[in-house]
Amino acid sequence: RAWRGWGREPPPPQPQQPLHAPAAAGGAPLAPPRLSAEPAAALLDSLTLYANCPARIGFYSRQPNTALFPTSDLPFPGMAFDAAAAYPCAGQAAGRLCPYAEVAWRPGAEFAGRSGLLCVRMQSLDDPTAFKDSCKRVVVARCFYCSEAGDSLKSIAALHGTSWLQVWSANDHNQTNVLNDESVLNATGSRSGGYQGISLWKAAKNPHEIRPGVVVRLGPVFLTRKLYSIARIASQFQVTGAAVRAANRDLPADSDTVDAGQEVCIMPQMCGFSRPAGD
């Protein structure tokens, strides 16, 4: 999908071809475009990320002599915008360089369940009135965690106040009810997950040692169909209200209820594991 040019006679559509980035200073290749945004729609589909998984969201222009920059503040703390890259233009602009920008971010667990709008503007350097905005809604999936070096089921469970049995039981080895290739594609930019090093749970064969970048489901997600109190949710799943809040940090601290249509991460206790102290 290509950016459309400005003016009365837009350039004809070009066939899809892989883009090869030029060499940067020191001979290191620049990252080619990934997760490109289509400017034809003001708001695109959601881009799903996972807590603790590094993500790089790319935006690129097919037009030379243009600049890319955020239209407003980045939606999450810790996001970094870098517009220092370029790649060879195609079509009528072949032989020139077109701009490419990335937003890099590793979501913390505190952002699970939250979403924000990330918008980047493609601005003509010849005509300040000529521009197009491209937006993605970034969603941090609830009840997931991306493993890092040294992690095991026990360490992941301890980090989230649950048992390793709960984490183990929450993950289908075939990943049929947890993730699919498309969701990992959204987070990584490639179906194999090679770009970000993210892989599906089925790659975790040893519960005592999980390689970095495995997307681990922490528990089921409960969808409220009416107004629920946190106490009722806790009672229904035999956990504490404190545990519900700890697993869903986006719940308002000044409210004891959850609105209809809200997702709630649940980490039920398993046999042989003491319930955490709380209300």
Side-chain angles (χ1 to χ4, degrees):
R1 297 179 297 182
W3 292 95
R4 294 188 180 275
W6 298 289
R8 297 178 180 176
E9 297 294 334
Q14 300 297 322
Q16 288 279 355
Q17 294 180 349
L19 297 174
H20 301 283
L30 294 172
R34 295 179 176 89
L35 302 179
S36 60
E38 171 59 59
L43 179 61
L44 303 177
D45 54 346
S46 296
L47 178 66
T48 302
L49 306 181
Y50 301 94
N52 206 44
C53 287
R56 296 170 68 182
I57 306 167
F59 294 84
Y60 65 92
S61 167
R62 295 278 181 148
Q63 301 296 323
N65 209 33
T66 55
L68 297 172
F69 55 90
T71 60
S72 60
D73 292 339
L74 298 176
F76 293 101
M79 279 187 162
F81 182 85
D82 182 6
Y87 71 98
C89 300
Q92 295 180 349
R96 303 178 67 182
L97 292 179
C98 289
Y100 167 67
E102 276 188 343
V103 176
W105 188 43
R106 182 192 290 264
E110 66 273 20
F111 297 111
R114 299 181 185 272
S115 66
L117 193 62
L118 173 61
C119 293
V120 170
R121 174 164 295 181
M122 180 180 68
Q123 175 77 59
S124 169
L125 298 179
D126 298 321
D127 180 3
T129 65
F131 63 87
K132 282 186 179 293
D133 293 342
S134 177
C135 299
K136 283 183 176 290
R137 180 163 295 281
V138 178
V139 179
V140 183
R142 190 183 302 275
C143 235
F144 286 97
Y145 170 80
C146 195
S147 63
E148 56 187 37
D151 271 341
S152 66
L153 281 183
K154 285 188 175 181
S155 67
I156 293 173
L159 182 65
H160 295 90
T162 186
S163 73
W164 72 268
L165 285 172
Q166 157 59 28
V167 177
W168 177 263
S169 65
N171 290 272
D172 184 336
H173 289 281
N174 294 321
Q175 213 74 334
T176 53
N177 298 319
V178 182
L179 294 173
N180 53 54
D181 285 343
E182 189 65 26
S183 65
V184 175
L185 168 65
N186 285 345
T188 66
S190 71
R191 290 195 179 277
S192 65
Y195 177 51
Q196 298 296 339
I198 297 173
S199 57
L200 296 171
W201 167 260
K202 60 188 176 184
K205 298 180 179 180
N206 182 356
H208 302 292
E209 183 179 352
I210 301 177
R211 72 179 187 179
V214 173
V215 179
V216 179
R217 185 174 186 174
L218 302 173
V221 173
F222 173 62
L223 178 63
T224 60
R225 300 191 181 278
K226 58 182 180 180
L227 185 71
Y228 270 78
S229 68
I230 293 177
R232 179 178 177 183
I233 295 174
S235 175
Q236 181 172 334
F237 292 98
Q238 299 183 11
V239 297
T240 66
V244 172
R245 287 192 177 276
N248 301 272
R249 303 188 194 181
D250 60 321
L251 293 178
D254 59 351
S255 176
D256 293 325
T257 60
V258 179
D259 292 335
Q262 171 75 42
E263 290 184 341
V264 181
C265 176
I266 303 294
M267 285 185 268
Q269 307 307 316
M270 305 293 289
C271 295
F273 181 73
S274 298
R275 294 172 62 181
D279 57 334

